[in-house]
Amino acid sequence: MTDEPSPFSLDAEAIDALRRDVEALRTSAPRIRRAWPQQPGRDSADEWPERMETLFSDCGGGLELVDTRCDEFPCVATVRTDEPPRDEIVKLTDLFGPDCAALAADMPDAEHALIVTFDVDCPDGATETMMVFATGDAAPLQEAYPEGDDQILTRLMLDLSRRSEALAAEWPCGD
């Protein structure tokens, strides 16, 4: 037997230093949170969730609305589906059908939804696909994302991706 340290031995002081560094990074990391526009209109936290409940219950078909979140702008919905759209930007009429009365009565002027799909590992070993869905009118989006028209979609996708990670941690895996 030799007195050489095992390649798997851990330096407790180095681990403590690393732990302090990670904690410092966590506490000093900027907290990104999109501000609400002054005039959110029907995309407000008071109206958007109910509008989405109506849309998904009337025309959702294979799309199950799991939750809506309006803790920051824009509101988003988490959706369970076996076949998420392949594209990140989807025409609402393609998603809900051209004959959806709820959509015709309450079509966002953007006429599209932004979709982020996120694979969630469930405790039973299954992997489910969570779809994060956002839609709304153009004016509130332009106010919330003043970076310019060419950057709105990019910034919105980055925000939705960031939010998707947090939403995945709360995803209610199916039975």
Side-chain angles (χ1 to χ4, degrees):
M1 204 159 191
T2 69
D3 287 340
E4 280 187 44
S6 163
F8 299 107
S9 63
L10 302 173
D11 180 350
E13 287 180 37
I15 291 172
D16 287 340
L18 180 60
R19 193 174 287 132
R20 285 190 300 275
D21 290 346
V22 168
E23 186 58 34
L25 287 171
R26 271 194 196 131
T27 57
S28 67
R31 301 281 187 231
I32 300 168
R33 197 168 203 83
R34 185 62 54 185
W36 278 87
Q38 295 213 4
Q39 301 292 323
R42 60 193 185 145
D43 294 336
S44 71
D46 294 334
E47 293 183 41
W48 194 88
E50 186 177 323
R51 292 173 56 219
M52 295 306 111
E53 289 276 344
T54 299
L55 179 60
F56 280 87
S57 68
D58 289 2
C59 305
L63 303 171
E64 175 193 345
L65 181 66
V66 174
D67 194 11
T68 56
R69 292 294 176 91
C70 295
D71 48 337
E72 66 180 281
F73 185 82
C75 291
V76 297
T78 53
V79 178
R80 186 182 315 276
T81 181
D82 292 332
E83 294 185 38
R86 292 184 186 157
D87 296 322
E88 292 84 15
I89 302 171
V90 179
K91 285 186 73 168
L92 289 167
T93 53
D94 290 346
L95 197 60
F96 294 103
D99 299 326
C100 173
L103 184 59
D106 190 22
M107 174 70 82
D109 65 10
E111 297 183 9
H112 289 79
L114 212 55
I115 308 282
V116 174
T117 56
F118 200 92
D119 288 335
V120 180
D121 294 326
C122 296
D124 66 356
T127 300
E128 294 185 6
T129 300
M130 173 185 74
M131 187 172 94
V132 178
F133 169 95
T135 191
D137 291 328
L141 283 171
Q142 289 169 338
E143 184 182 336
Y145 293 86
E147 293 87 0
D149 288 345
D150 60 332
Q151 293 294 311
I152 290 175
L153 288 178
T154 302
R155 297 290 302 188
L156 184 54
M157 284 301 290
L158 290 171
D159 281 357
L160 291 182
S161 295
R162 170 184 52 81
R163 293 171 73 186
S164 293
E165 288 190 42
L167 293 168
E170 299 172 19
W171 179 253
C173 290
D175 296 329

